[in-house]
Amino acid sequence: MDALDIARWQFGVTTVYHFLFVPLTIGLSLLVAILQTAWHRTGDDRYLKLTKFYGKLFLINFAMGIVTGIVQEFQFGMNWSDYSRFVGDIFGVPLAIEALLAFFLESTFLGLWIFGWDRLPKTLHLATIWLASIGSILSAWFILAANSWMQNPVGYRINPDTGRAELTDFIAVLTNKVTLITFPHTLAGCFMVAGALILTVALWHLIRHPDGADTPAFRTAAKLGAWTTLAATAAVTITGDIQGKIMTQVQPMKMAAAEGLYTTETPASFSILTVGTLDGSRELWALKIPHLLSWLSTGDLNGQVEGINDLQAQYAAQYGAGSYTPIIPITYWSFRFMIGLGIVAAAIALWALWATRRGHTPTSRWLLRAGLTLPLLPLLANSFGWIFTEMGRQPWIVFGEMLTRDGVSRTVSLPEVLTSFTTFTLIYATLAVIEVKLLIRYARNGLPDTDPTPAPDDRDDTDLDRPLAATY
């Protein structure tokens, strides 16, 4: 292994680990805002308790996400300086806007939400969590715009004197057709994760304490989590179908690699399971659904799907000698794990929704066991989706413009990259233990007592002289 290999491993580990926190942050922020809105409109204490309860889990996750996100961006300068030099004029713009606008919006209003429970008027306090949620969603848009440019470069030109990509149309970057479908697809995946967490925690309390005082509130939370997971699954399916067709247009090799399709087929079948050689170069046996790959790729049941061999010959003629084929076993199985784990999560959510129908309280220990695995399923599905997206683009770091091997820092040695990789991995492992322990600890505590302090709208001016007391 050389510095390039370790740099790729470090970026992969950092990216996947950071994205474990992103879906929960985006999804939970909006769901907590919805719960607080329900309390604001109805005055029902169960919504207030659920807001504070799941809000605390959201804040734990948000804090961890910030730490890992900072390291994520530092890597561009540390290990990928040639890439940063090439795309800095383009890539830096959405990242700067994300930091200066979206993240500041999110963090500022989240701070007001945390410390404003007994200080801000109820309506203004409610607005802070909605603005924080909007900030997290805007952050996703700018980050995905930057990533989508790597998948489908638009709105730029190559300066012949400097060899750098220069921005010519920022609107084109923000409205890249890959961004326009990746954004809703990613958001839907975020809500799958958040809905699954809300459902799991509610199921644990309902099944372990079926006659508890908070049973009605957790039944409400279980239904919210189940419906959110199911609705998000439907959205993931629809947007994923559209994304597959756009991906075939801009990166046909990625779709061929998702199937392990070596020869062009008309129509093309989709394999549910394939047994092949270890290097992924030849199929030995497969269970296939006829015409499905044609539909996923082109929207036509009899559409033509180009194979890996034909695309390799085409790219070699266009870009020069070399292999333009990603690692097929990784793309093949990550694509199927992404789909399969999402289906299982939806099935468990449907089971939980049935168990809580018409005021019923679930009692099945099997449902509890399945529910405890539920948050991991869409979380892993999201991770496998990103692994497929990034590994399927290889060997390109910017499709059609820059190879991954050309983007690595030339002055960083193997020991230096290995040291940072080992250090960050150990730190992340420690943070993972802390995160899980905190989430489990506060999830087990159950709903908080309702704050007896009068609502800010109902207090007189003398109440404002009291010291600031945060709910958390």
Side-chain angles (χ1 to χ4, degrees), residues 43 58 61 139 143 160 176 227 231 234 248 253 277 284 303 314 350 428:
F58 159 63
N61 184 78
S139 291
I143 294 296
N176 188 338
W227 278 115
T248 304
M253 179 65 85
T277 56
L284 300 177
Q314 176 185 327
L350 188 61
Y428 282 173

Side-chain angles (χ1 to χ4, degrees), residues 5 40 80 130 136 181 208 255 280 317 337 382 398 414 435:
D5 297 320
H40 184 268
W80 301 97
W130 277 103
S136 69
I181 191 56
R208 293 291 297 271
M255 178 55 83
F337 285 144
N382 272 269
V398 178
L414 174 60
E435 160 92 357

Side-chain angles (χ1 to χ4, degrees), residues 190-214:
C190 294
F191 289 114
M192 278 190 71
V193 176
L197 179 68
I198 286 178
L199 175 56
T200 292
V201 175
L203 282 177
W204 189 88
H205 284 280
L206 286 173
I207 295 175
R208 293 291 297 271
H209 311 288
D211 300 319
D214 293 322

Side-chain angles (χ1 to χ4, degrees), residues 237-470:
T237 303
I238 294 170
T239 56
D241 176 63
I242 300 172
Q243 188 177 35
K245 294 170 175 57
I246 292 178
M247 179 178 71
T248 304
Q249 296 173 17
V250 301
Q251 292 177 305
M253 179 65 85
K254 186 182 290 187
M255 178 55 83
E259 175 58 26
L261 183 71
Y262 279 86
T263 57
T264 300
E265 292 187 5
T266 309
S269 302
F270 180 84
S271 60
I272 299 175
L273 176 65
T274 295
V275 177
T277 56
L278 290 178
D279 61 359
S281 63
R282 186 164 54 89
E283 175 187 300
L284 300 177
W285 176 87
L287 176 63
K288 297 186 175 182
I289 301 177
H291 301 273
L292 182 55
L293 185 62
S294 290
W295 171 259
L296 292 175
S297 303
T298 66
D300 181 354
L301 289 173
N302 296 307
Q304 182 184 85
V305 181
E306 292 182 279
I308 294 171
N309 293 335
D310 292 334
L311 290 168
Q312 167 62 30
Q314 176 185 327
Y315 290 167
Q318 183 176 357
Y319 301 112
S323 174
Y324 297 93
T325 303
I327 303 175
I328 303 303
I330 292 180
T331 55
Y332 182 91
W333 287 111
S334 60
F335 190 70
R336 279 148 185 81
F337 285 144
M338 173 187 68
I339 297 172
L341 291 170
I343 291 174
V344 175
I348 296 174
L350 188 61
W351 182 8
L353 192 62
W354 172 258
T356 55
R357 71 194 185 283
R358 296 178 182 176
H360 289 197
T361 299
T363 57
S364 172
R365 292 286 172 174
W366 285 107
L367 176 58
L368 176 60
R369 294 185 182 99
L372 290 176
T373 67
L374 182 57
L376 296 177
L377 300 177
L379 199 60
L380 290 174
N382 272 269
S383 297
F384 280 116
W386 275 111
I387 290 171
F388 167 73
T389 298
E390 299 307 302
M391 292 296 291
R393 189 184 64 241
Q394 300 303 318
W396 299 103
I397 193 170
V398 178
F399 185 77
E401 291 292 353
M402 188 180 207
L403 295 170
T404 302
R405 71 184 182 211
D406 297 329
V408 71
S409 299
R410 301 177 188 179
T411 58
V412 178
S413 65
L414 174 60
E416 290 172 332
V417 183
L418 188 59
T419 299
S420 64
F421 173 53
T422 304
T423 302
F424 284 136
T425 302
L426 292 175
I427 292 174
Y428 282 173
T430 303
L431 290 176
V433 173
I434 295 172
E435 160 92 357
V436 172
K437 284 189 173 183
L438 285 174
L439 287 177
I440 292 176
R441 174 185 173 186
Y442 285 104
R444 283 179 171 176
N445 286 345
L447 299 184
D449 293 331
T450 304
D451 191 347
T453 304
D457 289 337
D458 302 327
R459 293 180 300 172
D460 57 37
D461 293 339
T462 58
D463 292 319
L464 299 180
D465 295 330
R466 296 184 302 105
L468 179 64

Side-chain angles (χ1 to χ4, degrees), residues 38-361:
W39 170 64
H40 184 268
R41 292 176 62 88
T42 66
D44 192 329
D45 271 1
R46 62 179 169 161
Y47 293 120
L48 175 58
K49 290 181 177 182
L50 290 172
T51 299
K52 294 184 176 182
F53 177 68
Y54 286 107
K56 184 173 293 185
L57 301 183
F58 159 63
L59 291 174
I60 294 170
N61 184 78
F62 178 79
M64 292 293 183
I66 292 175
V67 176
T68 57
I70 292 173
V71 175
Q72 176 77 359
E73 294 193 8
F74 271 121
Q75 287 183 97
F76 292 122
M78 292 165 52
N79 297 340
W80 301 97
S81 60
D82 280 7
Y83 164 76
S84 298
R85 188 177 299 110
F86 177 71
V87 302
D89 188 59
I90 299 170
F91 207 73
V93 177
L95 290 183
I97 295 176
E98 186 273 337
L100 295 174
L101 175 63
F103 179 71
F104 280 0
L105 178 69
E106 178 184 12
S107 57
T108 298
F109 285 101
L110 187 58
L112 290 172
W113 183 72
I114 295 171
F115 297 107
W117 276 97
D118 59 350
R119 279 292 187 181
L120 297 177
K122 286 174 59 177
T123 303
L124 182 58
H125 186 256
L126 174 63
T128 62
I129 187 62
W130 277 103
L131 288 169
S133 177
I134 292 171
S136 69
I137 292 173
L138 286 176
S139 291
W141 179 277
F142 291 114
I143 294 296
L144 291 172
N147 180 267
S148 296
W149 189 87
M150 298 165 66
Q151 314 290 339
N152 180 44
V154 294
Y156 75 106
R157 73 179 186 93
I158 301 297
N159 187 319
D161 297 325
T162 63
R164 298 174 67 246
E166 295 182 349
L167 183 65
T168 60
D169 189 347
F170 183 54
I171 299 301
V173 173
L174 292 182
T175 58
N176 188 338
K177 61 182 177 180
V178 176
T179 306
L180 294 179
I181 191 56
T182 301
F183 177 69
H185 186 66
T186 302
L187 284 189
C190 294
F191 289 114
M192 278 190 71
V193 176
L197 179 68
I198 286 178
L199 175 56
T200 292
V201 175
L203 282 177
W204 189 88
H205 284 280
L206 286 173
I207 295 175
R208 293 291 297 271
H209 311 288
D211 300 319
D214 293 322
T215 293
F218 278 120
R219 189 183 296 115
T220 299
K223 290 181 178 180
L224 173 64
W227 278 115
T228 299
T229 304
L230 291 172
T233 301
V236 164
T237 303
I238 294 170
T239 56
D241 176 63
I242 300 172
Q243 188 177 35
K245 294 170 175 57
I246 292 178
M247 179 178 71
T248 304
Q249 296 173 17
V250 301
Q251 292 177 305
M253 179 65 85
K254 186 182 290 187
M255 178 55 83
E259 175 58 26
L261 183 71
Y262 279 86
T263 57
T264 300
E265 292 187 5
T266 309
S269 302
F270 180 84
S271 60
I272 299 175
L273 176 65
T274 295
V275 177
T277 56
L278 290 178
D279 61 359
S281 63
R282 186 164 54 89
E283 175 187 300
L284 300 177
W285 176 87
L287 176 63
K288 297 186 175 182
I289 301 177
H291 301 273
L292 182 55
L293 185 62
S294 290
W295 171 259
L296 292 175
S297 303
T298 66
D300 181 354
L301 289 173
N302 296 307
Q304 182 184 85
V305 181
E306 292 182 279
I308 294 171
N309 293 335
D310 292 334
L311 290 168
Q312 167 62 30
Q314 176 185 327
Y315 290 167
Q318 183 176 357
Y319 301 112
S323 174
Y324 297 93
T325 303
I327 303 175
I328 303 303
I330 292 180
T331 55
Y332 182 91
W333 287 111
S334 60
F335 190 70
R336 279 148 185 81
F337 285 144
M338 173 187 68
I339 297 172
L341 291 170
I343 291 174
V344 175
I348 296 174
L350 188 61
W351 182 8
L353 192 62
W354 172 258
T356 55
R357 71 194 185 283
R358 296 178 182 176
H360 289 197
T361 299

